[in-house]
Every structure is written in structure tokens, then in C-alpha cells.
Amino acid sequence: MQMGSSDSWWKLMDHPKLPKGKTVAVVVLDGWGEAKPDEYNCIHIAETPTMDSLKKGAPEHWRLVKAHGTAVGLPTDDDMGNSEVGHNALGAGRIYAQGAKLVDLALASGKIYEGEGFKYIKECFETGTLHLIGLLSDGGVHSRLDQLQLLLKGVSERGVKRIRVHILTDGRDVTDGTSVGFVETLENDLTKLRKKGIDAKIASGGGRMYVTMDRYENDWNVVKRGWNAQVLGEAPYKFTTALEAVKKLRAEPKANDQYLPPFVIVDENGKPVGPIVDGDAVVTFNFRADRMTMLAKALEYENFDKFDRVRHPKIHYAGMLEYDGELKLPSHYLVPPPEIERTSGEYLVYNGIRTFACSETVKFGHVTFFWNGNRSGYFNPELEEYIEIPSDIGIPFNEQPKMKALQIAEKARDAILSRKFDQVRVNLPNSDMVGHTGDIEATIVGCKAADDAVKMILDTIEQVDGIYVVTADHGNAEDMVKRDKSGKPLLDKDGKIQILSSHTLQPVPIAIGGPGLSPGVRFRDDLPNGGLANVAATVMNLHGFEAPSDYEPTLVEVVDN
């Protein structure tokens, strides 16, 4: 227990009107937003009779909630939501400054340079090189160029002598092809630093989906390719400048920023300009955790067997943030995480709510770790069971767009029918993971598979006189095309539409129902700007409890019929 040792602190008040003892299914559709129906809205095109039928419950039992920007703790409402901050908000019931915002605050106040993490890397400034590794992009999902620029300025004012930047090109959260402009911007900044007497260069690079930025231990070869270039200075392509590298590699047929092969920058003698060696400092400057964790393990762990590192330099390594709170990884970081405590999951377990959570590998952490405030493991293993279904490995999700939706629904069905659980919580990943491939046909198939899974879960809730809450964590599949300011689809130079494979700024649905829902329960009409953080109090009410007073208000009210 985190807050005080007395049990009474955790006691939730009984709800004055809503009963306890109903099984509540909480279903999160990942990447399922609400947008105008058109041919690029895969959710609209897909056969989704279950989700369509829920929409008919508006406004009393279906509504939209915000899932991006300030509603989930991100700096501005131009920031698209993501699965991590979305599940944090769903589980925590309050809005915490997140990722980019935490880093922005630390950079603006200068606190980033006062913390233990910065002091640790600064110990190498006198005799070693500072290596900065991360996504070179202004996409704002994993990293932001302006933060890298501020960090470069900050370290240059604080005694750094030698800097090497290892870039990863984007093309996923930003338009494909923008890598060239980002490299030009960075090269200009490094030129200015060189004029000030700091030896600053780009040392290596590669596309984010092929080099370094794998996640969930899906494919360690991705990390190994990056390691070879960044640490060993070895790659299949060698260039004298990063600009030449990106331009030439992009000229290859079917080239894409996401998948550029690894390259190293060499001097006039053909020697790599910036391998990582003993005595150097390394900072991974992405603020989002999921695609930095594997590299963090390779940099930090003494005992490591996922690939042959050839050598493991003795370095001072810090992440921009702590990437895994449970693993304490990395052990040094420039900006400390938000202290998310007293999550709804923790409260409910302490109040006797037996909890089951399930998804497949790619979203299992969201429905457990992120839901529980960036905390791994159980609050009480006697009352909780978490099941992870292995995701497909080694094939793109658009080749198996149904993913494990059916298996997740079957596990939820079995958990509900066992009557061993009061809350059964799942994440259905299809609309997000298949949406990210940019394959419209496959995404339509994925959306139907998710809808079928929702149907199985709701049919089971019907059998046990239970309640359902169906919602999402952010948008994705509801808009698969890039648009101009007026909303018209953007075309590329060949007249083809530009596919949007990223998340969106759209709101997401929330629906409540089931035979166990008390007759007078309906959505309030005085919270038009409700967001994901309002869902936790709502779910607590449906379990028969009042939410803690500092939670974002519940979306439901009980009207006496």
C-alpha cells in the first residue's frame, strides 16, 4: 500500500443509489475514434453491428469523450492521444502531466539540469562524448525536435566538449519524406555548435521501424541493427554526411522513412565518426517509453543475451524519462515520472473487487501496467488475474488483421461465466495495430474482428445479469487519410491519397448497458468536455462505490424513475 498504512484510508464510500455485486465488463477498443463517415473511415465501412447498436443508446447510454491533448495530460490539444497516456487516464481517474509535457516543464524551468540524471551524464563531459539517440521528428508521439534542440543548447552551455547524434527517421507520426528537412535543421544546429568550439556531428541513423525502435521484444534484430551502427560503428551503408545518407537511401525504390536501412557517418579515412566507447555518456531522448525500453536494456544490463553485443561499453546512460517503473529502467533519467498513485484498480482491489485483465502482447501492458499507474504486477494476487495472449510475431499486422481478438473475447467470456471476478477488463488492439500499417482493407477486417469480440463479451454479460462499459483509448482507424486545413484528403505528387497511419485528435465513444445496469442510470448532460479520466469514477459507480473526491467526476447520474 502506498498512501498511509491504515486500511481505512482505502475504504470507498458506498454509492447511495447503485448496488454492489454486478459483474462489470470494461472493454477498451484500441485506436477506435469517432469521425465523419467516409471512405477513409474504416470503422464506418467495416461491418460493426454491435458498436453500431450501442450508438443508438445516445445520449443516455452512449456519448463521446476526449482522448487527446490536455484531456490526457499532453501539452496542447494539437497533441494526438496515445495508448500509454490513454490507459493512464482511464485507470487513474485524474489527469497527470505526461511524457512531452513533463519534459517541456523540466526544460523550461531548467530543472532537467539540476537532477541526478543530468549530473550522472555530465561526469563524462570532460573526457568523453555525449551521444544522443532518438527519433528525429516533430511528431510529438515519441519525441520532439524542439526538445532535442533545447537539450543540445543546454548541454553546450554546461561544459560538453563532444556530441554525437544517432538519428532515427520517422515517417509514421509525420509525413513520409520529412526526414530530409529534419536532418537539415539538425545539421544547421550542429554547425553552429562547431563554430562555438564543440565537436558536434551526426554519427549514425536508420528508419524507426527497422532500426532500434522495436517494442515488446517483438524483434531484437531491430535493436541489434541500431546497436551495430550506434555502438560498433558498423552498418551496410556508409556516408560522409547524414543529409547525403537520407537523400540517397530515400532514392531507392519503395524507400520509406520508417524503414531506411542503418547507416554510419565516416570521416575522410572511412572511419566511423562516433561509435560509443568506454567513458562516454548516452541519452535516449524519446519521452515515450515503449520503443526505447529494448535499447535501454541493451545499454544498461550487464547480463544480456538477446543478441551478441560484441562489446558492452562502460558508459553513463540516462533516458529522457524512466521507461519502465517496475524494472526501474533505465536506472538514471533526466526527468522523473509523474507520481500516479491511488489508481482505480488499486482502490477497487482494496475494496474487494476481484479483477481479471486480458489482452494480447502488444496491448497487455496497457490494460495492466499503464492502467495501474505505470506499475507492474498485482495489488493483491488473491483477487486478481492477468492473462497475456502471445501476439503474432514476425508478420505485419495487416497480414493477420483479426489478431487475437477472438481469443481475448473467449478469455473474457470464460472469466465472466466463472463468476470468480467482479471486473473483467480487456483491450482489443485491432483498430490501432492494423491501422498503423496504413492498409485500409486490412483495417476494415480488423475493425469487424474487434466488433465480433465485443459482441461475444456483451452476450456473456447478458447471461450473468452484468453491466458493460465499452470505450477506447484514442482514435486511429476512423480516419486513414491525411487532410488539408479544410478537411479534404491530401494527394501525393502521383495523385494518390496520402495515407494517415498515426493516431488522431478525434474523440472516442463510451457506451454503458447490460441487464445489471440500474434503470435510472444515464450519462449526465453537464460534462460536455468529459474525457478518458472521467471513466474511472464512472466504473467505480457501476461497482456500487463513490469515487474518491479528487477524481475527475463520473459521467453518469441516477435519475429516479
Side-chain angles (χ1 to χ4, degrees):
M1 286 203 280
Q2 293 166 313
M3 304 287 292
S5 55
S6 69
D7 280 343
S8 62
W9 203 90
W10 287 99
K11 195 83 192 93
L12 292 171
M13 304 275 287
D14 291 347
H15 194 283
K17 295 183 176 175
L18 294 176
K20 290 189 177 55
K22 298 289 180 189
T23 305
V24 179
V26 180
V27 180
V28 180
L29 291 149
D30 215 288
W32 190 289
E34 182 73 14
K36 286 198 200 92
D38 68 12
E39 69 214 273
Y40 309 113
N41 181 337
C42 293
I43 293 168
H44 165 67
I45 300 169
E47 278 180 55
T48 54
T50 307
M51 292 300 288
D52 293 346
S53 69
L54 295 181
K55 202 183 285 195
K56 296 191 180 110
E60 296 195 343
H61 291 155
W62 184 96
R63 63 161 289 175
L64 296 173
V65 287
K66 290 188 170 172
H68 76 288
T70 53
V72 288
L74 295 168
T76 74
D77 283 338
D78 293 329
D79 293 309
M80 56 183 110
N82 66 59
S83 305
E84 292 71 39
V85 301
H87 284 78
N88 274 171
L90 285 166
R94 288 143 297 154
I95 300 167
Y96 283 84
Q98 284 286 4
K101 196 169 183 179
L102 279 176
V103 175
D104 286 340
L105 293 169
L107 283 165
S109 65
K111 277 213 173 85
I112 193 166
Y113 305 113
E114 294 158 17
E116 292 309 310
F118 185 76
K119 287 174 186 156
Y120 179 64
I121 62 158
K122 191 167 188 256
E123 289 168 13
C124 303
F125 283 8
E126 193 55 44
T127 55
T129 300
L130 170 63
H131 298 265
L132 300 169
I133 306 176
L135 186 67
L136 187 67
S137 160
D138 62 7
V141 177
H142 291 271
S143 66
R144 280 213 328 267
L145 176 61
D146 61 319
Q147 292 181 348
L148 172 61
Q149 292 174 303
L150 284 169
L151 192 59
L152 283 166
K153 181 174 184 286
V155 298
S156 71
E157 291 164 357
R158 287 167 178 83
V160 78
K161 298 220 165 45
R162 202 160 176 269
I163 299 170
R164 293 293 180 265
V165 188
H166 303 265
I167 63 168
L168 301 163
T169 52
D170 190 350
R172 187 175 169 107
D173 301 321
V174 293
T175 308
D176 181 40
T178 47
S179 58
V180 176
F182 293 134
V183 169
E184 286 175 331
T185 302
L186 178 58
E187 289 281 27
N188 286 339
D189 289 352
L190 298 178
T191 302
K192 286 176 191 153
L193 290 180
R194 288 199 293 276
K195 285 180 180 154
K196 290 181 183 164
I198 295 167
D199 175 6
K201 292 179 180 145
I202 296 175
S204 76
R208 57 177 285 179
M209 298 304 285
Y210 192 66
V211 179
T212 299
M213 279 174 60
D214 188 47
R215 65 174 171 185
Y216 307 130
E217 309 212 356
N218 206 33
D219 184 357
W220 277 100
N221 287 321
V222 174
V223 185
K224 183 177 194 297
R225 284 180 206 116
W227 182 271
N228 291 350
Q230 295 145 2
V231 179
L232 307 179
E234 294 169 6
Y237 294 90
K238 296 180 173 65
F239 296 95
T240 52
T241 73
L243 196 54
E244 180 198 14
V246 173
K247 283 182 171 171
K248 284 213 170 134
L249 293 172
R250 278 198 54 77
E252 295 291 314
K254 290 198 171 170
N256 177 297
D257 282 349
Q258 293 191 55
Y259 292 97
L260 292 186
F263 60 85
V264 294
I265 306 304
V266 294
D267 62 18
E268 58 277 10
N269 304 316
K271 273 184 58 179
V273 300
I276 299 171
V277 298
D278 287 358
D280 285 352
V282 177
V283 170
T284 45
F285 60 82
N286 286 17
F287 45 73
R288 178 160 154 183
D290 57 350
R291 294 189 184 276
M292 280 288 117
T293 305
M294 292 165 72
L295 172 59
K297 287 176 178 173
L299 287 167
E300 182 139 319
Y301 288 169
E302 203 54 55
N303 297 320
F304 179 87
D305 60 2
K306 302 302 183 183
F307 60 83
D308 178 8
R309 292 182 291 194
V310 184
R311 55 186 181 81
H312 181 221
K314 293 179 174 54
I315 55 170
H316 284 204
Y317 165 52
M320 182 67 98
L321 292 158
E322 181 181 52
Y323 296 135
D324 187 325
E326 183 65 17
L327 295 172
K328 303 278 180 258
L329 183 78
S331 51
H332 298 272
Y333 38 84
L334 302 185
V335 182
E339 300 285 331
I340 301 184
E341 46 17 25
R342 299 186 300 109
T343 59
S344 60
E346 193 162 9
Y347 268 117
L348 288 169
V349 166
Y350 280 125
N351 284 273
I353 296 297
R354 302 163 302 168
T355 305
F356 176 89
C358 174
S359 188
E360 61 175 279
T361 307
V362 289
K363 297 292 178 182
F364 174 71
H366 294 84
V367 82
T368 55
F369 176 85
F370 292 108
W371 191 279
N372 290 333
N374 308 331
R375 179 188 185 284
S376 291
Y378 295 123
F379 296 111
N380 180 346
E382 286 165 25
L383 295 183
E384 294 172 278
E385 185 181 348
Y386 299 164
I387 288 187
E388 174 183 348
I389 296 167
S391 290
D392 292 322
I393 295 178
I395 53 162
F397 291 111
N398 55 328
E399 288 182 19
Q400 293 279 11
K402 294 183 179 178
M403 299 183 66
K404 304 298 177 199
L406 175 64
Q407 292 90 325
I408 295 166
E410 287 170 343
K411 291 284 187 213
R413 175 196 65 197
D414 296 349
I416 292 165
L417 293 177
S418 75
R419 299 184 187 260
K420 287 196 298 202
F421 300 101
D422 306 293
Q423 182 178 115
V424 173
R425 185 170 73 232
V426 300
N427 177 301
L428 299 167
N430 308 62
S431 37
D432 190 49
M433 298 309 294
V434 189
H436 276 312
T437 67
D439 183 330
I440 288 179
E441 293 305 317
T443 306
I444 292 165
V445 175
C447 291
K448 180 183 188 306
D451 190 78
D452 291 343
V454 175
K455 180 180 194 317
M456 179 181 285
I457 295 167
L458 301 197
D459 287 350
T460 313
I461 280 294
E462 200 73 30
Q463 292 176 49
V464 300
D465 200 32
I467 300 172
Y468 61 76
V469 178
V470 179
T471 189
D473 57 346
H474 56 75
N476 182 335
E478 79 287 352
D479 194 11
M480 299 284 288
V481 69
K482 296 189 172 123
R483 298 175 185 276
D484 64 18
K485 291 276 189 285
S486 72
K488 285 201 189 75
L490 286 170
L491 304 179
D492 64 18
K493 57 182 187 295
D494 301 325
K496 293 203 186 81
I497 60 148
Q498 291 191 31
I499 292 290
L500 181 73
S501 57
S502 69
H503 300 162
T504 69
L505 303 173
Q506 298 294 345
V508 300
I510 179 170
I512 53 172
L517 189 69
S518 298
V521 175
R522 68 178 191 196
F523 285 130
R524 299 159 55 168
D525 57 12
D526 60 347
L527 287 173
N529 292 318
L532 295 183
N534 298 84
V535 173
T538 309
V539 171
M540 286 172 153
N541 290 174
L542 300 178
H543 280 296
F545 296 107
E546 290 275 24
S549 59
D550 65 336
Y551 269 41
E552 292 292 316
T554 177
L555 296 168
V556 294
E557 60 186 359
V558 186
V559 183
D560 297 320
N561 285 356

